[in-house]
Amino acid sequence: MDRFFHSVTLDKEKCKGCTNCIKRCPTEAIRVRNGKAVITPERCIDCSVCIRVCPYHAKKAKSDPMDIIKAYKYKIALPAPALYGQFNNLDIIDIVLTGLKRVGFDEVFEVSRGAEMVSDATRRLMAQGTLLKPVISSACPAIVRLIRVRFPDLCAHVLPLRAPMETAARLARKEAMEKTGLPSEDIGIFFITPCAAKVTDIKVPIGIEASSVDGAVAISEIYPQLVGCMNKVEEPEAISNSGIIGVSWAGIGGEAAALLNEKHLAADGIENVIKVLEDLEDERLSELDFIELNACPGGCVGGIFTVENPYVAQARIQRLRKYLPVSCNHLPGKQVPAEMKWTGELEFAPVLNLADNIEEAMKRMSMVEEITDRLPGLDCGSCGAPSCRALAEDIVLGEAKESDCIFKMREKIQRIADQLIEMEGYLPKNREPGGEENEP
Ligand code: SF4
Ligand code: SF4
């Protein structure tokens, strides 16, 4: 698998080079070069911000086509709880789950079940006192990637647990193998995803070697077919097996509230999240025990692949939760099972650094300062970089030149024009053959 796989991609034909996206990207991953946006894959965290702000729909998110499930003998759907908020007048979650079976899945295993187990595991790990507080949730892969590239000092705060989707996939596979007697490779597990970052996380996971999920089908892709099947469900099967805790992970604050600890904070939207992380870096949030951060506005219900307004979806989930038990899934025994934990630590990815060694980085940094001082400081984006400082960095890295700045270019042209005017004075005067000197 390409280690720089990204769900978020650019449709070059549609891009008009308007520069809207470059300024909003939280990792300065985009430049406009030769009139088209270019995404630096090492920097992109698949947050989808650029998709939301592009007026020409030139940025899009890839997911797997529904046909992918046909490659497996036994197919299991893992619906994200955000899916439940997409339907009007829904009273019972089992209608959605039965609908998924009619769409073509043999089994449905709710991700909210995995979420309840992750909540249980988090409570236990926090009670053991082994985690660095405030603990930052690892459930949103775009946030984990953001921390990895922009906030090296906060890597140690990230909760080292697999996402609910992974825990659900592992349990679903185990149950299916026991039930059917099929080998693991005949069982296909598909996440019904609300967002692009989860697609990337399945293909190129962080914290674990490989995902237990075989593919990700977008909510928006399955939605029309699913609605058709749901409309025909008269007797829904009793499949749902999760409670308020698991289903609430769909929206902002659900994961944090499940810890039954008041010293928590929940933020959504990448710009708000960055403010929280900066405060945490400045040690202004040390009174908190847990921080839940979601890249999408409203949490997973606001993912780029959802079809409903996130606030409407959140209100529907609120209503659905009313008749659910608090939680249906708990960990056996006292310990957190090793299979729920990350196998490695979150490591800083120095993709924003100017050089690999500190001496060279310092040298380049002072060059960046010098060039930035010479630039106009307008951060207008006309050069194709998100700010004057970003252009200075690109110049130092040999990826741009000072004349890419239109003001610098204008100064240069002005200088050349002045020189030409000055040189004109040195030109020999025109003479009529055998006559007087003429003014040119
Ligand atoms: S998905 Fe997010 S990080 Fe990636 S290029 Fe777009 S705005 Fe930047
Ligand atoms: S927002 Fe970005 S991707 Fe969209 S047209 Fe403008 S430059 Fe191109």
Side-chain angles (χ1 to χ4, degrees):
M1 175 51 64
D2 172 8
R3 73 189 176 100
F4 290 128
F5 169 92
H6 286 290
S7 170
V8 175
T9 53
L10 172 79
D11 182 340
K12 228 173 168 182
E13 294 298 307
K14 288 189 181 164
C15 177
K16 305 271 186 248
C18 71
T19 73
N20 271 353
C21 58
I22 60 171
K23 294 190 175 195
R24 299 287 299 277
C25 175
T27 54
E28 297 193 337
I30 316 172
R31 298 290 185 273
V32 170
R33 303 228 196 273
N34 301 320
K36 301 285 177 190
V38 181
I39 305 177
T40 306
E42 298 89 325
R43 290 185 173 202
C44 175
I45 58 169
D46 290 279
C47 61
S48 302
V49 167
C50 54
I51 301 179
R52 294 180 204 278
V53 301
C54 176
Y56 301 100
H57 308 289
K59 293 270 176 49
K60 52 190 186 337
K62 281 188 288 191
S63 57
D64 291 311
M66 197 43 202
D67 270 2
I68 189 182
I69 73 171
K70 291 184 184 152
Y72 296 85
K73 281 194 186 139
Y74 198 76
K75 309 147 184 69
I76 305 176
L78 295 187
L83 178 68
Y84 310 151
Q86 309 302 308
F87 311 98
N88 203 4
N89 298 322
L90 181 73
D91 293 320
I92 325 168
I93 289 170
D94 276 331
I95 297 181
V96 184
L97 309 183
T98 308
L100 282 169
K101 288 185 87 171
R102 307 240 171 124
V103 165
F105 292 98
D106 299 296
E107 201 75 67
V108 180
F109 195 107
E110 295 167 280
V111 171
S112 43
R113 290 181 62 186
E116 293 190 341
M117 299 185 91
V118 174
S119 290
D120 194 353
T122 311
R123 284 193 297 267
R124 290 180 194 207
L125 290 178
M126 288 183 67
Q128 285 167 12
T130 50
L131 300 174
L132 187 57
K133 287 185 186 169
V135 176
I136 306 173
S137 160
S138 55
C140 175
I143 299 301
V144 174
R145 283 166 163 78
L146 174 71
I147 293 171
R148 198 172 67 136
V149 302
R150 262 188 74 167
F151 298 92
D153 295 342
L154 301 183
C155 285
H157 287 260
V158 177
L159 180 67
L161 284 178
R162 293 171 193 242
M165 163 185 82
E166 292 294 339
T167 288
R170 191 177 49 79
L171 292 172
R173 189 178 300 277
K174 188 166 171 276
E175 278 183 14
M177 286 167 72
E178 283 165 8
K179 181 175 163 187
T180 64
L182 287 169
S184 176
E185 57 273 24
D186 284 345
I187 298 167
I189 303 192
F190 303 94
F191 182 53
I192 312 301
T193 182
C195 81
K198 295 275 188 196
V199 179
T200 302
D201 205 42
I202 290 168
K203 314 281 181 204
V204 204
I206 286 183
I208 54 175
E209 293 294 313
S211 172
S212 304
V213 182
D214 298 297
V217 178
I219 286 181
S220 52
E221 159 135 3
I222 206 169
Y223 183 81
Q225 206 184 344
L226 180 55
V227 170
C229 291
M230 284 168 59
N231 287 340
K232 291 184 197 132
V233 173
E234 280 169 9
E235 288 286 322
E237 291 179 46
I239 303 170
S240 176
N241 188 18
S242 55
I244 294 172
I245 284 189
V247 170
S248 300
W249 274 62
I252 182 76
E255 180 189 3
L259 300 179
L260 316 173
N261 172 335
E262 278 165 11
K263 290 200 243 168
H264 68 249
L265 169 159
D268 60 330
I270 204 85
E271 277 151 15
N272 297 328
V273 163
I274 287 170
K275 281 187 204 139
V276 170
L277 291 171
E278 284 171 349
D279 279 352
L280 182 54
E281 215 175 27
D282 293 344
E283 298 180 8
R284 276 186 284 194
L285 299 175
S286 38
E287 78 277 13
L288 294 173
D289 282 346
F290 189 82
I291 298 183
E292 177 195 318
L293 302 171
N294 297 269
C296 295
C300 295
V301 284
I304 202 77
F305 288 136
T306 57
V307 295
E308 188 50 276
N309 172 319
Y311 302 100
V312 173
Q314 176 68 33
R316 288 177 183 163
I317 287 176
Q318 200 85 6
R319 198 162 59 88
L320 277 172
R321 291 181 344 167
K322 223 157 93 189
Y323 303 106
L324 294 179
V326 174
S327 179
C328 304
N329 301 273
H330 304 277
L331 296 181
K334 289 201 174 124
Q335 295 304 318
V336 173
E339 314 88 80
M340 288 185 72
K341 294 181 181 169
W342 277 358
T343 49
E345 284 174 8
L346 183 63
E347 280 179 10
F348 170 50
V351 295
L352 304 180
N353 285 4
L354 291 168
D356 291 340
N357 72 70
I358 188 101
E359 204 181 318
E360 183 60 23
M362 298 297 285
K363 205 170 109 196
R364 290 185 179 180
M365 180 70 86
S366 73
M367 288 162 76
V368 168
E369 301 295 344
E370 272 172 37
I371 297 171
T372 309
D373 283 348
R374 288 204 296 271
L375 293 171
L378 295 172
D379 295 338
C380 67
S382 308
C383 58
S387 63
C388 296
R389 192 182 174 85
L391 175 65
E393 288 174 5
D394 291 351
I395 294 168
V396 168
L397 293 171
E399 289 161 10
K401 30 190 204 326
E402 214 160 312
S403 57
D404 288 341
C405 166
I406 53 163
F407 297 93
K408 284 285 163 191
M409 178 57 107
R410 194 188 287 165
E411 275 176 21
K412 197 171 169 184
I413 291 171
Q414 187 63 56
R415 262 199 318 276
I416 293 169
D418 290 348
Q419 279 168 5
L420 285 174
I421 291 167
E422 201 185 316
M423 281 164 68
E424 201 184 20
Y426 298 112
L427 283 176
K429 304 273 190 225
N430 287 344
R431 286 175 188 275
E432 289 294 324
E436 296 287 307
E437 253 185 18
N438 282 334
E439 287 303 316

